[in-house]
Amino acid sequence: MIEQIIQFLIHLADSLGYFGIYLYMLLVGTFIPVPSEIILIPSGYLASIGQKNFFLLLISGAFGSLSGALINYYLAKWIIRRYKDKKIIQKTILFFKHHGNISVFLAPLTPGLGQYISIPAGISHMPLYRFIPLTFLANIIWVGFMLLIGYIFGKGKEAHSAEIWFSLLLLGFVIVTATIYVFKELKKEKV
């Protein structure tokens, strides 16, 4: 049963192509709760066996996530016009004045928070010249990490090289560190 699910996911990732990966990751980047792992890990495997280009998968996934985040951002900017006097909106704007840059970079690296940080960024009118590069950089780290997980399941020396393992460990360390930092900061905010 597990093998059939894995084969289905690999076939799905293969049939989507690069534009399909972009569109799937666009959904992941919005507020719709779609897991990126379902497509990125099988895509990484396909790259390791030579059926997909790792770099094109990385770029497609990162730009897809950024596009979804921009949808959230602009949707939040549109909604704020109606509710800008609400207390929660004012708290969000104040929080983003002090923690906006770090939040936009770290949240996409934190499982469960990534796609939602663009909403308060839009509410607080975070400048796009900061929002776009921070979001893109965080998404490239996340997408790269997920692709590398799939890549190590491939065959051949390249899939199991020291560079791949080092990259996987480094990106994993960044993601774990970001997650710990975010949850510690969230705990402080509640106290």
Side-chain angles (χ1 to χ4, degrees):
M1 180 69 170
I2 296 276
E3 190 173 314
Q4 291 169 329
I5 293 171
I6 291 169
Q7 288 304 316
F8 170 76
L9 292 175
I10 290 170
H11 176 71
L12 178 63
D14 192 29
S15 64
L16 282 176
Y18 300 109
F19 187 65
I21 299 291
Y22 168 84
L23 291 176
Y24 184 87
M25 292 305 293
L26 182 143
L27 282 177
V28 169
T30 65
F31 53 86
I32 300 168
V34 182
S36 60
E37 299 84 354
I38 287 178
I39 290 301
L40 293 179
I41 292 173
S43 295
Y45 170 78
L46 290 168
S48 75
I49 61 172
Q51 287 187 260
K52 294 279 183 211
N53 180 291
F54 188 89
F55 179 74
L56 291 177
L57 289 170
L58 183 65
I59 294 302
S60 300
F63 273 113
S65 294
L66 174 62
S67 300
L70 285 168
I71 290 171
N72 283 354
Y73 178 92
Y74 281 110
L75 185 61
K77 278 184 96 160
W78 177 74
I79 289 172
I80 187 68
R81 292 184 201 151
R82 304 181 99 186
Y83 302 104
K84 63 180 159 190
D85 295 330
K86 297 271 186 195
K87 191 174 182 180
I88 187 76
I89 301 296
Q90 296 306 316
K91 283 176 111 177
T92 301
I93 292 169
L94 184 62
F95 174 84
F96 254 75
K97 277 186 181 175
H98 301 294
H99 308 289
N101 291 343
I102 193 76
S103 297
V104 166
F105 177 70
L106 292 179
L109 300 175
T110 307
L113 294 179
Q115 68 263 41
Y116 302 113
I117 195 64
S118 50
I119 295 170
I123 287 171
S124 65
H125 299 283
M126 181 180 202
L128 285 175
Y129 70 85
R130 285 190 302 203
F131 178 76
I132 289 174
L134 289 169
T135 302
F136 184 73
L137 182 59
N139 283 318
I140 226 146
I141 292 169
W142 179 261
V143 170
F145 181 70
M146 289 294 125
L147 290 172
L148 281 173
I149 289 173
Y151 199 90
I152 63 170
F153 289 105
K155 299 171 182 132
K157 290 180 182 175
E158 193 173 311
H160 301 283
S161 71
E163 291 86 3
I164 295 297
W165 281 99
F166 177 75
S167 300
L168 185 63
L169 291 172
L170 180 63
L171 292 177
F173 175 76
V174 169
I175 290 169
V176 168
T177 303
T179 301
I180 291 168
Y181 176 81
V182 167
F183 283 109
K184 278 186 175 181
E185 289 301 309
L186 287 172
K187 225 175 183 180
K188 279 188 210 174
E189 289 292 322
K190 289 181 182 177
V191 175

